Amino acid sequence: MLRVAVEGGGCSGFQYQMDLVESANDDDIRIECDGQAALVDKVSVPFLKGSEITFVDELAGAQFVIKNPNAASSCGCGVSFSI
């Protein structure tokens, strides 16, 4: 499963942390869509509410991309954002 969290830091104030994990932590919220599951900790939920996570595989590389409607701005690489 993909675990997604928001932490302080990065060039814009907050940054995404993503890990592939085998099991959920006790405080994780499990979100499922189209047979895929993502885990989000309770602290990160307000920062990620309404976000869409997609996996993009292009010539330049493969990565998870987060479209976050709560982000007022983000850095060029898309890893950090501000609210």
Side-chain angles (χ1 to χ4, degrees), residues 24-41:
N25 292 336
D26 292 338
D27 63 342
D28 283 337
I29 297 171
R30 182 182 175 113
I31 301 166
E32 293 188 39
C33 183
D34 297 329
Q36 303 299 315
L39 304 171
V40 181
D41 64 89

Side-chain angles (χ1 to χ4, degrees), residues 5-83:
V6 174
E7 299 176 345
C11 55
S12 295
F14 295 99
Q15 62 187 1
Y16 300 111
Q17 176 67 40
M18 291 183 259
D19 295 300
L20 294 175
V21 298
E22 294 290 325
S23 60
N25 292 336
D26 292 338
D27 63 342
D28 283 337
I29 297 171
R30 182 182 175 113
I31 301 166
E32 293 188 39
C33 183
D34 297 329
Q36 303 299 315
L39 304 171
V40 181
D41 64 89
K42 292 179 182 179
V43 174
S44 298
V45 168
F47 297 101
L48 294 168
K49 187 175 182 179
S51 295
E52 293 180 22
I53 303 170
T54 56
F55 185 76
V56 178
D57 190 1
E58 298 175 334
L59 184 60
Q63 64 182 339
F64 286 101
V65 176
I66 299 176
K67 293 180 184 176
N68 187 341
N70 305 301
S73 64
S74 64
C75 66
C77 64
V79 174
S80 67
F81 65 99
S82 66
I83 295 183

